[in-house]
Amino acid sequence: MKVMLYDTGVGLLPFLKSIIKKEKYNEYYLYMDEDVFPIGKKDEVFIINHLKFILNYASKRFDQIVIACNTISSYLKCIDTGKYNIEILSIFEDNIKLLDNNTTFLATKGTLRNVKHQYVIDGSILPSLIENNQIKEIIEFINNLDFKTEKIILGCTHFPLIKFIFEDFHKNKTFISGEDELVEKIPNSGFISIDGNKKAKKYLATYLNFCNKILC
């Protein structure tokens, strides 16, 4: 089966790791959409139109699209997905299921427009800091966070990349996200191949060089 993994940045790499560990073998195409990064700061009209563009692109080439971007996938409810001849899996759908009265949703501004909940925190600054490896600024932002609940949903695919920093500075909190649940929905076709667009290939070249340590 041909599957497109979509995100705006390097948050796709943990997905790939989970896919391989869970033996969800398919023909994968990684689409890191750097042209719209950071999409969490875009307005609603732009996000919805870009979602339609991505679905149209994917439906002509793939059997399934896994939308790993919380912001993009949170707007699926705003369009007629039946117009696109492709199976759609959404990380936002799995993250929103984790929400309860003892949970904070940490995400970008674009995602939080679609989260109706008492406890939310805008982490729009983090994706760019993570992409640019600005560790000092990341630590400063996370250290200053004031969580009112025991559990926190990491509602951006970039955030699990630095989960260990969240846990170091907020040791009495539990940080969760729905990546594993989403990966479980992907079938296993028995054969794996990995390709991607220009940005994805750049990161894959480095990532796969350490496959014995990271993927196995």
Side-chain angles (χ1 to χ4, degrees):
M1 188 171 75
K2 295 182 178 180
V3 181
M4 186 172 110
L5 304 179
Y6 176 87
D7 196 9
T8 57
V10 297
L12 277 183
L13 296 180
F15 266 92
L16 181 60
K17 177 180 177 180
S18 180
I19 282 168
I20 293 174
K21 284 193 172 184
K22 292 179 180 294
E23 298 183 350
K24 300 291 186 172
Y25 296 157
N26 295 284
E27 296 179 54
Y28 291 104
Y29 184 84
L30 278 62
Y31 194 123
M32 292 186 182
D33 201 355
E34 63 182 339
D35 291 338
V36 298
F37 179 83
I39 200 165
K41 295 183 179 181
K42 308 291 187 184
D43 63 61
E44 291 186 6
V45 174
F46 179 92
I47 295 171
I48 292 171
N49 286 335
H50 194 66
L51 172 58
K52 292 177 180 178
F53 167 78
I54 290 299
L55 290 177
N56 186 57
Y57 172 88
S59 64
K60 295 176 180 178
R61 296 165 176 84
F62 305 97
D63 304 306
Q64 183 183 78
I65 180 172
V66 179
I67 306 181
C69 173
N70 281 269
T71 298
I72 282 280
S73 61
S74 72
Y75 285 87
L76 282 167
K77 62 183 178 59
C78 300
I79 67 171
D80 180 9
T81 56
K83 293 172 57 177
Y84 304 95
N85 185 31
I86 189 170
E87 182 182 1
I88 304 169
L89 299 183
S90 155
I91 183 60
F92 181 75
E93 178 183 348
D94 284 296
N95 274 335
I96 207 72
K97 289 177 182 177
L98 300 173
L99 201 57
D100 58 33
N101 291 331
N102 193 33
T103 306
T104 296
F105 205 109
L106 173 65
T108 65
K109 186 181 299 183
T111 303
L112 292 179
R113 294 191 196 107
N114 297 303
V115 179
K116 308 303 180 186
H117 188 62
Q118 180 180 1
Y119 301 112
V120 297
I121 293 178
D122 184 355
S124 298
I125 190 176
L126 278 177
S128 293
L129 296 180
I130 293 168
E131 290 269 341
N132 294 317
N133 201 32
Q134 295 176 252
I135 302 300
K136 180 181 177 182
E137 290 80 1
I138 291 170
I139 289 174
E140 182 178 359
F141 178 82
I142 292 176
N143 187 41
N144 288 329
L145 290 173
D146 182 19
F147 296 117
K148 304 297 185 184
T149 62
E150 179 183 340
K151 295 181 293 183
I152 296 90
I153 297 171
L154 300 178
C156 171
T157 321
H158 285 76
F159 296 170
L161 289 166
I162 56 167
K163 184 179 179 181
F164 67 98
I165 301 179
F166 284 104
E167 292 173 337
D168 281 347
F169 284 91
H170 301 276
K171 296 185 184 298
N172 60 333
K173 305 296 182 181
T174 301
F175 296 90
I176 57 177
S177 51
E179 285 83 3
D180 286 343
E181 289 78 5
L182 180 58
V183 170
E184 286 293 347
K185 298 176 184 177
I186 303 173
N188 176 11
S189 300
F191 170 80
I192 188 167
S193 65
I194 304 169
D195 198 0
N197 65 350
K198 184 176 180 180
K199 181 173 182 178
K201 286 181 177 179
K202 171 186 172 183
Y203 281 95
L204 278 171
T206 301
Y207 194 70
L208 296 178
N209 279 338
F210 298 96
C211 63
N212 288 334
K213 296 181 180 178
I214 298 175
L215 297 180
C216 303

